[in-house]
């Protein structure tokens, strides 16, 4: 939160004076004295008069405070005895912004990220006395993020985010779809990472003695335990994931005789990936790069050659395959060969089964 | 429709992560023990094999118990999560089926170092019998936060 401006601090002091039931109708001298005393700064009467005017009429400020002057009591007061800027200090534009943000977060509702989320939003709106717009009017309806389906394990989101925040180690049971086996894991959690609509817990695994990630859908019964926390001082995890498309990097030793398996550690081994893109797809790839590292070399015929510098992942392969005949890996050879193998096997499967 | 049982959240107490076991059932993996004042919960993982075409089935005898090793004092099963009490069975439906489940027993004294978990006394290899499960290995026992 940015620091409050001095003017806002004065508005707050004036507000406290006007809502002080033990000293009603503070005079200009009272307000000046209070501001100077609390903020340890000298002000003029004109400054306080200007503050009162802003609190009453400044639409950008949004208070629209019902401040009146009583000649009889020679002091200021709020016309509405329940008014205070502490609950009404939000203007229409800010309400719209909150509604919009709430709309963006709507897609989390269905997947039960956080039981308290809905309640918190309701409480916020209620505390601010914002009437929620009707469904037809709501700004939130003007945006439609992709629908998220419920993923098993999302019920752990809250406990895991708290463990990350408070740096508490976690014990859980993990089931590996690939190895078809269970493991008891103790993790020092650092990050919750979303990739392709799946969420992963990233942290130092005591079992593996390195930073690993675990799909939330494969995590069972997490329990916070009292164990000295191993902090992550070596790796900038956010940058580490920026070097990939997705999360499931391919095991290095399997690249020669590759099969679709993932390496669950998060090390960083960058490779140049050279890909041909058809002219039909060229504009799409130019307007939305496959990866931030993408370099484009335009060909005379309108087709492209792009070069990506990243850690190869299963998601990269899926992405390339999703473009069908409009995309073709030129380099490295192991990746090219693997994609040929996948396409061949897939074609054989369509022709002959095993269905 | 049966109401799904919720696994209660652990509070206070200890966990024993991947405890050492003297001898164990080969079909099911004992993964963790959660010792609280309310219960002794034991977590298991079951992976179907290709022994049966459809992966077979699992169930738990409601008279399953734990006992301090060498003692005759029995702590009978109080609850089972994600596994039915026999004779009802849970079909795996395929050879790649799997199940994480937990069995709950009454709380046991912190003084107990070793326990046995017995589904069938003098049973065969299909019964969930585990002997001499270590509860007080320092490097595997952690206080619940």
């Amino acid at each position: 939160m940015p620091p409050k401006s001095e003017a806002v601090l004065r508005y707050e002091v004036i507000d406290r004076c006007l809502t002080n039931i033990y000293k009603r109708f503070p005079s200009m001298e009272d307000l000046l004295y209070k501001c100077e005393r609390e903020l340890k700064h000298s002000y003029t009467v004109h400054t306080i008069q200007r503050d009162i005017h802003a609190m009453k009429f400044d639409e950008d400020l949004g208070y629209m405070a019902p401040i009146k002057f009583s000649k009889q009591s020679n002091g200021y007061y709020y016309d509405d005895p329940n008014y205070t800027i502490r609950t009404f200090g939000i203007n229409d534009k800010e309400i719209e912004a909150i509604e919009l943000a709430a709309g963006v977060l709507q897609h989390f509702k269905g997947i039960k990220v956080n039981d308290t989320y809905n309640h918190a939003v309701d409480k916020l709106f209620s505390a601010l006395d914002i009437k929620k717009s009707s469904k037809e009017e709501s700004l939130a309806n003007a945006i439609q993020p992709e629908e998220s389906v419920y993923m098993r394990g999302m019920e752990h989101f809250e406990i895991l985010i708290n463990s990350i925040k408070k740096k508490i180690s976690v014990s859980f049971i993990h089931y590996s779809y690939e190895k078809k086996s269970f493991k008891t894991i103790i993790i020092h959690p650092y990050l919750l990472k979303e990739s392709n609509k799946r969420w992963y817990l990233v942290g130092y695994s005591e079992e593996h003695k390195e930073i690993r990630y675990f799909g939330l859908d494969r995590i069972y019964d997490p329990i916070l335990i009292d164990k000295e926390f191993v902090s992550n001082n070596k790796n900038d995890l956010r940058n580490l994931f920026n070097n990939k498309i997705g999360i499931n990097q391919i095991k290095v030793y399997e690249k020669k005789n590759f099969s679709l398996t993932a390496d669950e550690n998060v090390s960083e081994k960058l490779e140049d990936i050279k890909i041909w893109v058809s002219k039909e797809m060229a504009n799409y790839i130019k307007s939305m790069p496959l990866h931030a590292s993408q370099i484009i070399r335009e060909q005379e015929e309108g087709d492209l050659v792009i070069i990506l510098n990243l850690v190869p992942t299963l998601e990269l392969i899926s992405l390339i395959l999703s473009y069908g005949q409009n995309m073709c890996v030129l380099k490295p050879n192991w990746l090219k060969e693997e994609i040929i193998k996948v396409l061949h096997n897939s074609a054989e499967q369509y022709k002959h089964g095993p269905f | 429709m049966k109401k799904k049982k919720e696994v209660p959240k652990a509070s206070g107490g200890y966990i024993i992560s991947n405890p050492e076991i003297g001898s164990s059932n080969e079909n099911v993996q004992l993964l963790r023990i959660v010792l609280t004042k309310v219960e002794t919960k034991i977590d298991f993982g079951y992976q179907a094999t290709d022994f049966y075409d459809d992966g077979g089935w699992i169930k738990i005898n409601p008279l399953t118990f734990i006992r301090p090793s060498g003692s005759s004092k029995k702590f009978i099963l109080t609850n089972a999560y994600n596994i039915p009490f026999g004779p009802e069975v849970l079909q795996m439906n395929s050879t790649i089926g799997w199940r994480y489940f937990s069995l709950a027993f009454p709380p046991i004294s912190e003084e107990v170092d070793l326990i046995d978990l017995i589904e069938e006394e003098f049973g065969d290899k299909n019964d969930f019998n585990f002997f001499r499960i270590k509860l007080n290995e320092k490097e595997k026992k952690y206080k619940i936060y």
Side-chain angles (χ1 to χ4, degrees):
Chain A
M1 191 189 280
K4 289 177 179 175
S5 72
E6 199 173 310
V8 171
L9 293 172
R10 285 198 306 274
Y11 302 150
E12 289 177 354
V13 174
I14 294 168
D15 179 66
R16 283 198 292 279
C17 291
L18 295 176
T19 52
N20 183 358
I21 56 169
Y22 300 106
K23 189 177 186 330
R24 295 188 185 278
F25 304 104
S27 65
M28 177 54 71
E29 288 73 22
D30 293 329
L31 296 176
L32 185 62
Y33 172 74
K34 276 282 184 188
C35 285
E36 288 182 338
R37 191 176 159 197
E38 289 198 21
L39 303 177
K40 296 181 175 37
H41 193 281
S42 294
Y43 299 104
T44 63
V45 169
H46 177 65
T47 302
I48 304 301
Q49 283 172 336
R50 209 174 49 207
D51 288 344
I52 290 172
H53 188 270
M55 288 172 75
K56 285 170 77 171
F57 302 113
D58 189 331
E59 287 185 5
D60 286 336
L61 197 58
Y63 294 146
M64 314 313 283
I67 301 173
K68 294 272 165 65
F69 182 76
S70 165
K71 282 184 183 169
Q72 195 183 348
S73 306
N74 189 32
Y76 294 87
Y77 67 101
Y78 282 138
D79 203 19
D80 175 358
N82 295 319
Y83 183 87
T84 164
I85 64 168
R86 290 194 294 276
T87 54
F88 286 80
I90 191 160
N91 61 33
D92 287 349
K93 278 186 182 170
E94 287 164 332
I95 292 168
E96 275 192 7
I98 290 172
E99 281 190 327
L100 190 61
V104 173
L105 291 171
Q106 282 291 317
H107 72 293
F108 279 112
K109 278 175 109 176
I111 54 175
K112 205 184 170 194
V113 165
N114 185 334
D115 279 339
T116 54
Y117 168 70
N118 289 342
H119 179 61
V121 171
D122 288 344
K123 203 168 151 187
L124 175 72
F125 275 61
S126 163
L128 296 170
D129 198 27
I130 299 166
K131 284 184 182 169
K132 280 189 192 173
S133 310
S134 69
K135 239 185 173 180
E136 290 70 32
E137 293 170 334
S138 173
L139 202 53
N141 285 325
I143 51 170
Q144 188 175 25
E146 260 185 58
E147 195 70 26
S148 289
V149 289
Y150 172 76
M151 182 183 108
R152 209 208 75 74
M154 288 307 287
E155 66 274 19
H156 305 320
F157 204 95
E158 197 167 357
I159 188 174
L160 296 176
I161 203 85
N162 281 331
S163 68
I164 291 166
K165 197 172 145 194
K166 293 176 183 167
K167 297 190 175 185
I168 301 170
S169 310
V170 181
S171 157
F172 64 82
I173 307 301
H174 180 255
Y175 180 75
S176 166
Y177 295 150
E178 191 191 329
K179 293 172 189 155
K180 297 186 179 60
S181 66
F182 291 90
K183 260 200 173 110
T184 314
I185 302 288
I186 291 175
I187 195 168
H188 304 266
Y190 304 142
L191 181 73
L192 281 164
K193 163 83 182 161
E194 189 188 18
S195 176
N196 277 350
K197 297 185 180 179
R198 287 182 183 273
W199 283 91
Y200 297 85
L201 175 65
V202 183
Y204 179 82
S205 163
E206 294 213 344
E207 172 77 19
H208 303 94
K209 309 276 182 238
E210 63 185 359
I211 294 176
R212 289 263 170 156
Y213 62 86
F214 300 91
L216 257 56
D217 55 322
R218 283 148 273 178
I219 287 177
Y220 288 86
D221 204 3
I223 297 173
L224 306 189
I225 57 169
D226 190 4
K227 189 171 196 316
E228 193 177 348
F229 193 82
V230 177
S231 294
N232 170 37
N233 300 321
K234 288 182 191 165
N235 300 296
D236 182 345
L237 291 172
R238 289 184 188 275
N239 278 341
L240 218 51
F241 288 113
N242 286 344
N243 290 333
K244 295 175 183 175
I245 291 171
I247 194 164
N248 294 290
Q249 71 189 56
I250 296 158
K251 285 181 182 171
V252 176
Y253 66 86
E254 286 183 341
K255 282 178 187 168
K256 282 184 186 168
N257 187 18
F258 180 72
S259 60
L260 286 177
T261 53
D263 189 350
E264 288 162 334
N265 78 43
V266 290
S267 64
E268 190 177 15
K269 295 176 188 83
L270 295 167
E271 279 196 59
D272 277 341
I273 313 288
K274 200 170 173 184
I275 302 168
W276 171 86
V277 180
S278 74
K279 60 183 175 188
E280 287 78 16
M281 205 47 65
N283 284 329
Y284 293 100
I285 299 301
K286 280 197 273 186
S287 62
M288 191 171 158
L290 295 187
H291 185 254
S293 66
Q294 179 172 300
I295 295 169
I296 295 173
R297 288 186 190 150
E298 298 204 41
Q299 310 291 98
E300 283 179 10
E301 300 294 321
D303 51 341
L304 304 175
V305 170
I306 58 169
I307 297 163
L308 312 174
N309 184 249
L310 42 65
V311 179
T313 54
L314 297 184
E315 290 87 343
L316 169 69
I317 292 176
S318 299
L319 185 62
I320 293 167
L321 287 169
S322 73
Y323 285 94
Q325 73 275 21
N326 289 306
M327 210 170 259
C328 193
V329 173
L330 305 174
K331 195 187 140 189
N333 214 40
W334 69 264
L335 182 58
K336 183 180 169 180
E337 291 301 319
E338 177 52 31
I339 289 187
I340 292 170
K341 198 164 91 185
V342 170
L343 290 171
H344 172 76
N345 290 346
S346 184
E348 287 297 304
Q349 203 149 278
Y350 271 105
K351 281 186 209 161
H352 308 298
F355 318 109
Chain B
M1 199 167 94
K2 279 186 183 173
K3 196 180 170 193
K4 195 181 165 192
K5 275 181 221 162
E6 293 283 330
V7 179
K9 295 286 169 210
S11 58
Y14 295 88
I15 64 149
I16 297 124
S17 178
N18 204 17
E20 199 173 305
I21 301 162
S23 75
S24 61
N25 177 292
E26 288 174 9
N27 299 325
V28 69
Q29 196 180 348
L30 196 158
L31 297 161
R32 186 175 63 181
I33 300 175
V34 184
L35 301 168
T36 66
K37 286 179 182 170
V38 180
E39 64 181 9
T40 302
K41 185 167 81 72
I42 307 183
D43 302 328
F44 298 89
Y46 177 80
Q47 175 65 56
T49 64
D50 51 10
F51 185 79
Y52 296 104
D53 287 344
D54 62 355
W57 46 263
I58 55 168
K59 64 177 170 65
I60 190 72
N61 178 354
L63 296 176
T64 300
F65 63 89
I66 54 173
R67 71 181 172 210
S69 297
S71 155
S72 57
K73 191 174 181 187
K74 294 178 179 177
F75 296 83
I76 306 283
L77 185 67
T78 53
N79 227 331
Y81 309 105
N82 289 330
I83 184 169
F85 290 121
E88 192 185 336
V89 297
L90 175 79
Q91 293 288 347
M92 286 291 116
N93 293 328
S94 87
T95 54
I96 61 160
W98 51 277
R99 194 75 166 178
Y100 166 67
F101 66 91
S102 302
L103 303 177
F105 302 90
I108 53 170
S109 161
E110 280 187 36
E111 309 295 313
V112 175
D113 287 327
L114 290 171
I115 58 167
D116 303 330
L117 185 153
I118 308 293
E119 188 184 24
E120 286 292 342
E121 201 117 45
F122 315 112
D124 61 27
K125 62 175 186 169
N126 291 320
D127 297 312
F128 293 168
N129 289 347
F130 297 81
F131 297 92
R132 300 181 66 76
I133 306 163
K134 288 189 181 176
L135 299 184
N136 282 324
E137 283 178 283
K138 201 179 169 189
E139 66 277 15
K140 294 192 170 192
K141 189 173 183 178
Y142 304 103
K143 205 171 179 182
I144 295 170
Y145 195 86

